[in-house]
Amino acid sequence: MKFGASYFGNRILRHVREDMKKMIDDGCNFVVHTMSEHDITYHSGTMIDIVKASREAGLEVFLDPWGVGRVFGGEAFSTFVKAYPDCRQRLNFPEGEIKIYKACLNTKTFRDHMVAWIELAAKTGAEGVFWDEPHLFFGEFAPLFGGKKMDIWGCTCGTCKDIFKEKYGYEMPLDFTDDVKSFRQMTIVSFLEFLSTKASRKGLKNSVCLFPTTDPRYGIFEWEKVAMIKNMYTFGSDPYWYAYKQDVVEFVKRVSEEVLMLCKKYNKEAQIWIQGYRVPAKREEEIKTAIDVAYNAGIRNIATWSFEGTDCMTYVRSERPEVVWQCVRTAYLKYKNR
Ligand SMILES: [Zn+2]
């Protein structure tokens, strides 16, 4: 049985050591450390020390490109999108060149940047990397002066347009058509194939987490395309029932079963993430239910976002972080030695 949690907000080694020891006591055997653009720029040596300390404590370590290029999950700024305006995702506005602060997954410059991230990840001695919620921009736009609501999406840059034309034999449309949906999915899948091949060559295990939906606006609508990626070791999703306003039992069960079915088919390890951030007061017990549901569905790799109920960050903190973590701990220890 594997249990873990993500960890961020601290770069002081003495405190990291203490917290990693606590994670072990609380039933964890792996940790996902975030490694943002800020970290690779200013904490490259510190990250090596943090990974070492975590492994010494007895945890398996995964690194997460937290908010890198603003195309993965994570509350972190990106300087890449500022430094390389040409590599941003261009939106499908007919009015002109409108680019969002998210990197285009098809541009060589961003991919090179990710290769540098992978090289540092390998250098830290971590066991693996965690590709969290890779996505493209999607939003809705309604003009004040009338007209119908528009789907706004990325990416329509020159590089993406060329790839689209090559694949489909005509110019990329501005509407959110079926071909556009497939193209965006293909873009994310090809990006993950690229990353996982590079990481695997460096001896890193690849782990991926998809949004708990097959709505094409989120990018991936056929999970199988990701589950079948050769170098992916772990495949999972994050049915965050408080965030998506879903029933904990129904949502966690449905997503766990879908993940497990694909993992069995493609021989991957199935992972389910438990919501341990923005947990409303007096609903903390649902965490234990979620872990029971995932376990009973057959999931044997469970992680929580994040350590100690995400007490360290205002934006995502739970109302009673200590109660949240107590629930996580109780559930983890219940199953730990089974
Ligand atoms: Zn593009």
Side-chain angles (χ1 to χ4, degrees):
M1 192 67 217
K2 290 188 187 174
F3 282 120
S6 61
Y7 185 91
F8 53 86
N10 169 44
R11 293 293 175 253
I12 300 171
L13 205 55
R14 176 165 48 92
H15 297 305
V16 171
R17 281 206 186 93
E18 208 173 288
D19 290 342
M20 295 306 111
K21 193 182 163 296
K22 184 168 190 294
M23 281 182 71
I24 294 271
D25 292 343
D26 294 342
C28 296
N29 43 30
F30 74 92
V31 58
V32 175
H33 283 297
T34 59
M35 189 163 81
S36 65
E37 290 185 39
H38 180 259
D39 288 319
I40 58 174
T41 311
Y42 297 114
H43 290 290
S44 56
T46 323
M47 290 312 298
I48 294 173
D49 295 340
I50 286 175
V51 171
K52 187 163 177 272
S54 308
R55 296 189 69 200
E56 279 169 2
L59 296 162
E60 188 180 25
V61 180
F62 285 79
L63 293 173
D64 171 355
W66 206 43
V68 173
R70 302 295 300 150
V71 294
F72 296 100
E75 290 72 27
F77 294 123
S78 169
T79 46
F80 178 88
V81 292
K82 195 74 186 167
Y84 301 95
D86 291 345
C87 300
R88 285 188 223 153
Q89 289 178 31
R90 183 187 190 276
L91 302 180
N92 61 319
F93 279 103
E95 282 83 0
E97 183 104 332
I98 299 174
K99 288 183 167 176
I100 194 128
Y101 280 93
K102 283 186 182 295
C104 167
L105 308 185
N106 283 320
T107 54
K108 185 177 180 301
T109 312
F110 184 57
R111 289 190 173 205
D112 288 347
H113 193 79
M114 287 308 303
V115 169
W117 185 93
I118 289 168
E119 277 163 8
L120 177 58
K123 206 171 148 193
T124 64
E127 276 87 358
V129 280
F130 174 60
W131 309 116
D132 191 20
E133 301 175 336
H135 61 275
L136 297 164
F137 180 82
F138 190 96
E140 288 172 342
F141 178 84
L144 274 179
F145 42 85
K148 72 174 182 29
K149 196 166 69 177
M150 272 179 74
D151 292 327
I152 296 298
W153 48 272
C155 176
T156 67
C157 77
T159 305
C160 288
K161 272 185 171 165
D162 288 348
I163 300 172
F164 185 95
K165 194 171 181 183
E166 172 118 349
K167 165 104 181 135
Y168 297 97
Y170 65 97
E171 294 294 336
M172 179 190 270
L174 292 181
D175 290 332
F176 196 54
T177 65
D178 286 348
D179 283 350
V180 165
K181 289 171 194 170
S182 295
F183 173 71
R184 292 171 84 244
Q185 172 167 270
M186 186 186 80
T187 294
I188 300 171
V189 170
S190 125
F191 182 61
L192 287 170
E193 278 168 348
F194 173 84
L195 296 177
S196 57
T197 303
K198 295 282 179 197
S200 163
R201 276 189 201 140
K202 291 276 172 190
L204 293 160
K205 266 194 218 172
N206 286 280
S207 171
V208 63
C209 177
L210 300 183
F211 289 119
T213 166
T214 49
D215 181 332
R217 296 177 300 172
Y218 286 81
I220 304 290
F221 54 92
E222 297 163 298
W223 282 11
E224 189 154 9
K225 298 252 195 282
V226 175
M228 69 201 296
I229 294 175
K230 186 169 142 270
N231 291 310
M232 213 52 84
Y233 182 84
T234 303
F235 173 83
S237 183
D238 48 6
Y240 294 153
W241 67 98
Y242 304 109
Y244 290 90
K245 297 180 172 46
Q246 298 281 317
D247 173 71
V248 58
V249 174
E250 190 278 327
F251 196 37
V252 176
K253 186 168 187 282
R254 178 163 51 83
V255 172
S256 297
E257 286 172 352
E258 183 66 19
V259 164
L260 204 66
M261 187 269 290
L262 289 168
C263 286
K264 280 190 174 150
K265 186 168 175 186
Y266 294 102
N267 196 26
K268 310 289 181 190
E269 184 174 86
Q271 182 176 59
I272 288 292
W273 281 83
I274 301 295
Q275 183 169 354
Y277 69 92
R278 285 186 185 158
V279 177
K282 298 185 183 157
R283 287 184 58 195
E284 293 90 352
E285 290 286 321
E286 291 174 32
I287 289 169
K288 292 184 195 164
T289 307
I291 294 171
D292 284 344
V293 169
Y295 183 88
N296 291 333
I299 301 292
R300 294 295 178 266
N301 183 327
I302 295 174
T304 299
W305 197 282
S306 180
F307 178 64
E308 291 191 334
T310 329
D311 197 9
C312 70
M313 186 181 269
T314 316
Y315 187 68
V316 281
R317 179 189 290 140
S318 297
E319 281 182 15
R320 302 193 296 180
E322 70 293 344
V323 183
V324 168
W325 190 249
Q326 194 55 42
C327 288
V328 173
R329 178 180 201 275
T330 305
Y332 279 11
L333 293 177
K334 173 176 158 188
Y335 292 110
K336 194 186 170 187
N337 298 316
R338 289 202 191 179

Short mmCIF file of all heavy atoms in Angstrom, two decimals, residues 283-310:
data_model
loop_
_atom_site.label_atom_id
_atom_site.label_comp_id
_atom_site.label_asym_id
_atom_site.label_seq_id
_atom_site.Cartn_x
_atom_site.Cartn_y
_atom_site.Cartn_z
N ARG A 283 -16.86 19.11 7.71
CA ARG A 283 -17.05 18.09 6.65
C ARG A 283 -15.77 17.26 6.49
O ARG A 283 -15.61 16.54 5.51
CB ARG A 283 -17.43 18.76 5.33
CG ARG A 283 -18.87 19.29 5.32
CD ARG A 283 -19.25 19.85 3.97
NE ARG A 283 -19.13 18.86 2.91
CZ ARG A 283 -19.13 19.16 1.61
NH1 ARG A 283 -19.24 20.41 1.22
NH2 ARG A 283 -19.01 18.20 0.70
N GLU A 284 -14.84 17.38 7.47
CA GLU A 284 -13.55 16.71 7.34
C GLU A 284 -13.66 15.19 7.30
O GLU A 284 -12.85 14.53 6.66
CB GLU A 284 -12.63 17.11 8.51
CG GLU A 284 -12.20 18.58 8.50
CD GLU A 284 -13.15 19.48 9.27
OE1 GLU A 284 -14.24 19.01 9.69
OE2 GLU A 284 -12.81 20.67 9.46
N GLU A 285 -14.70 14.63 7.98
CA GLU A 285 -14.85 13.17 8.02
C GLU A 285 -14.99 12.56 6.62
O GLU A 285 -14.71 11.38 6.42
CB GLU A 285 -16.07 12.79 8.87
CG GLU A 285 -15.89 13.05 10.37
CD GLU A 285 -14.95 12.05 11.05
OE1 GLU A 285 -15.01 10.86 10.72
OE2 GLU A 285 -14.14 12.49 11.90
N GLU A 286 -15.45 13.37 5.67
CA GLU A 286 -15.61 12.88 4.29
C GLU A 286 -14.28 12.39 3.72
O GLU A 286 -14.26 11.58 2.79
CB GLU A 286 -16.22 13.97 3.40
CG GLU A 286 -17.67 14.26 3.74
CD GLU A 286 -18.25 15.44 2.95
OE1 GLU A 286 -17.86 15.65 1.80
OE2 GLU A 286 -19.10 16.15 3.53
N ILE A 287 -13.19 12.90 4.27
CA ILE A 287 -11.85 12.46 3.80
C ILE A 287 -11.66 10.98 4.08
O ILE A 287 -11.18 10.23 3.23
CB ILE A 287 -10.76 13.32 4.48
CG1 ILE A 287 -10.82 14.74 3.91
CG2 ILE A 287 -9.37 12.70 4.32
CD1 ILE A 287 -9.99 15.75 4.65
N LYS A 288 -12.07 10.57 5.27
CA LYS A 288 -11.95 9.15 5.63
C LYS A 288 -12.83 8.32 4.68
O LYS A 288 -12.42 7.25 4.22
CB LYS A 288 -12.40 8.91 7.07
CG LYS A 288 -11.49 9.53 8.12
CD LYS A 288 -12.02 9.14 9.50
CE LYS A 288 -11.41 9.97 10.60
NZ LYS A 288 -12.17 9.86 11.86
N THR A 289 -14.01 8.83 4.40
CA THR A 289 -14.92 8.14 3.47
C THR A 289 -14.25 8.00 2.10
O THR A 289 -14.26 6.94 1.49
CB THR A 289 -16.24 8.93 3.33
OG1 THR A 289 -16.77 9.16 4.63
CG2 THR A 289 -17.24 8.21 2.46
N ALA A 290 -13.66 9.10 1.62
CA ALA A 290 -13.02 9.10 0.30
C ALA A 290 -11.91 8.05 0.24
O ALA A 290 -11.79 7.31 -0.75
CB ALA A 290 -12.46 10.49 -0.01
N ILE A 291 -11.11 7.97 1.28
CA ILE A 291 -10.01 7.00 1.30
C ILE A 291 -10.57 5.57 1.36
O ILE A 291 -10.09 4.69 0.65
CB ILE A 291 -9.02 7.31 2.45
CG1 ILE A 291 -8.33 8.66 2.16
CG2 ILE A 291 -7.98 6.19 2.63
CD1 ILE A 291 -7.50 9.23 3.29
N ASP A 292 -11.63 5.36 2.14
CA ASP A 292 -12.29 4.04 2.18
C ASP A 292 -12.80 3.66 0.79
O ASP A 292 -12.60 2.54 0.32
CB ASP A 292 -13.50 4.07 3.13
CG ASP A 292 -13.09 4.04 4.61
OD1 ASP A 292 -11.93 3.69 4.89
OD2 ASP A 292 -13.94 4.37 5.46
N VAL A 293 -13.45 4.62 0.14
CA VAL A 293 -14.05 4.35 -1.18
C VAL A 293 -12.97 4.00 -2.20
O VAL A 293 -13.10 3.03 -2.95
CB VAL A 293 -14.89 5.57 -1.64
CG1 VAL A 293 -15.30 5.43 -3.11
CG2 VAL A 293 -16.12 5.74 -0.76
N ALA A 294 -11.89 4.77 -2.21
CA ALA A 294 -10.80 4.50 -3.16
C ALA A 294 -10.18 3.14 -2.87
O ALA A 294 -9.93 2.34 -3.77
CB ALA A 294 -9.75 5.60 -3.08
N TYR A 295 -9.95 2.86 -1.59
CA TYR A 295 -9.34 1.58 -1.20
C TYR A 295 -10.26 0.42 -1.60
O TYR A 295 -9.82 -0.56 -2.23
CB TYR A 295 -9.08 1.54 0.31
CG TYR A 295 -8.38 0.27 0.74
CD1 TYR A 295 -6.99 0.20 0.72
CD2 TYR A 295 -9.10 -0.86 1.12
CE1 TYR A 295 -6.34 -0.99 1.08
CE2 TYR A 295 -8.46 -2.04 1.47
CZ TYR A 295 -7.08 -2.09 1.45
OH TYR A 295 -6.45 -3.27 1.79
N ASN A 296 -11.54 0.55 -1.30
CA ASN A 296 -12.49 -0.52 -1.62
C ASN A 296 -12.67 -0.72 -3.13
O ASN A 296 -13.02 -1.80 -3.58
CB ASN A 296 -13.84 -0.27 -0.96
CG ASN A 296 -13.75 -0.42 0.55
OD1 ASN A 296 -12.89 -1.15 1.07
ND2 ASN A 296 -14.60 0.28 1.29
N ALA A 297 -12.40 0.34 -3.89
CA ALA A 297 -12.48 0.21 -5.35
C ALA A 297 -11.25 -0.54 -5.88
O ALA A 297 -11.22 -0.94 -7.03
CB ALA A 297 -12.58 1.59 -5.99
N GLY A 298 -10.23 -0.68 -5.04
CA GLY A 298 -9.04 -1.42 -5.45
C GLY A 298 -7.79 -0.55 -5.64
O GLY A 298 -6.75 -1.03 -6.08
N ILE A 299 -7.89 0.72 -5.29
CA ILE A 299 -6.74 1.63 -5.43
C ILE A 299 -5.74 1.35 -4.30
O ILE A 299 -6.12 1.30 -3.14
CB ILE A 299 -7.20 3.12 -5.38
CG1 ILE A 299 -8.22 3.43 -6.49
CG2 ILE A 299 -6.00 4.06 -5.44
CD1 ILE A 299 -7.70 3.40 -7.90
N ARG A 300 -4.46 1.21 -4.68
CA ARG A 300 -3.44 0.93 -3.67
C ARG A 300 -2.35 2.00 -3.64
O ARG A 300 -1.27 1.80 -3.08
CB ARG A 300 -2.82 -0.46 -3.92
CG ARG A 300 -3.82 -1.60 -3.70
CD ARG A 300 -4.27 -1.69 -2.23
NE ARG A 300 -5.26 -2.74 -2.01
CZ ARG A 300 -6.59 -2.54 -2.02
NH1 ARG A 300 -7.09 -1.32 -2.23
NH2 ARG A 300 -7.41 -3.55 -1.81
N ASN A 301 -2.62 3.12 -4.30
CA ASN A 301 -1.72 4.27 -4.25
C ASN A 301 -2.59 5.50 -4.05
O ASN A 301 -3.32 5.91 -4.96
CB ASN A 301 -0.90 4.35 -5.54
CG ASN A 301 0.12 5.49 -5.50
OD1 ASN A 301 -0.13 6.53 -4.88
ND2 ASN A 301 1.24 5.32 -6.18
N ILE A 302 -2.56 6.03 -2.84
CA ILE A 302 -3.43 7.16 -2.48
C ILE A 302 -2.59 8.31 -1.96
O ILE A 302 -1.69 8.12 -1.14
CB ILE A 302 -4.47 6.71 -1.41
CG1 ILE A 302 -5.41 5.65 -2.02
CG2 ILE A 302 -5.26 7.90 -0.88
CD1 ILE A 302 -6.40 5.03 -1.04
N ALA A 303 -2.88 9.51 -2.49
CA ALA A 303 -2.12 10.69 -2.06
C ALA A 303 -3.08 11.80 -1.68
O ALA A 303 -4.22 11.84 -2.16
CB ALA A 303 -1.21 11.14 -3.19
N THR A 304 -2.62 12.69 -0.83
CA THR A 304 -3.46 13.81 -0.40
C THR A 304 -2.79 15.13 -0.76
O THR A 304 -1.58 15.30 -0.57
CB THR A 304 -3.67 13.76 1.13
OG1 THR A 304 -4.34 12.53 1.46
CG2 THR A 304 -4.52 14.93 1.61
N TRP A 305 -3.58 16.02 -1.30
CA TRP A 305 -3.12 17.39 -1.55
C TRP A 305 -3.77 18.27 -0.51
O TRP A 305 -4.96 18.52 -0.61
CB TRP A 305 -3.51 17.85 -2.96
CG TRP A 305 -2.70 19.04 -3.34
CD1 TRP A 305 -2.90 20.33 -2.92
CD2 TRP A 305 -1.51 19.05 -4.15
NE1 TRP A 305 -1.91 21.14 -3.43
CE2 TRP A 305 -1.07 20.38 -4.18
CE3 TRP A 305 -0.80 18.06 -4.84
CZ2 TRP A 305 0.08 20.76 -4.90
CZ3 TRP A 305 0.33 18.44 -5.53
CH2 TRP A 305 0.76 19.78 -5.57
N SER A 306 -3.03 18.66 0.58
CA SER A 306 -1.62 18.58 0.75
C SER A 306 -1.30 18.34 2.23
O SER A 306 -2.22 18.32 3.06
CB SER A 306 -1.01 19.92 0.28
OG SER A 306 0.38 19.93 0.43
N PHE A 307 -0.02 18.23 2.55
CA PHE A 307 0.45 18.00 3.93
C PHE A 307 -0.22 18.96 4.93
O PHE A 307 -0.33 20.15 4.66
CB PHE A 307 1.98 18.18 3.96
CG PHE A 307 2.61 18.02 5.32
CD1 PHE A 307 2.58 16.80 5.98
CD2 PHE A 307 3.24 19.10 5.92
CE1 PHE A 307 3.17 16.65 7.23
CE2 PHE A 307 3.84 18.96 7.17
CZ PHE A 307 3.80 17.73 7.83
N GLU A 308 -0.66 18.40 6.02
CA GLU A 308 -1.27 19.18 7.12
C GLU A 308 -2.44 20.05 6.69
O GLU A 308 -2.61 21.17 7.16
CB GLU A 308 -0.20 19.99 7.86
CG GLU A 308 0.76 19.08 8.64
CD GLU A 308 1.68 19.81 9.61
OE1 GLU A 308 1.96 21.01 9.37
OE2 GLU A 308 2.10 19.18 10.58
N GLY A 309 -3.24 19.52 5.74
CA GLY A 309 -4.46 20.24 5.36
C GLY A 309 -4.20 21.55 4.64
O GLY A 309 -5.07 22.42 4.56
N THR A 310 -2.95 21.66 4.09
CA THR A 310 -2.53 22.85 3.34
C THR A 310 -2.60 24.11 4.21
O THR A 310 -3.00 25.18 3.78
CB THR A 310 -3.35 23.02 2.03
OG1 THR A 310 -3.71 21.72 1.54
CG2 THR A 310 -2.53 23.70 0.95
#
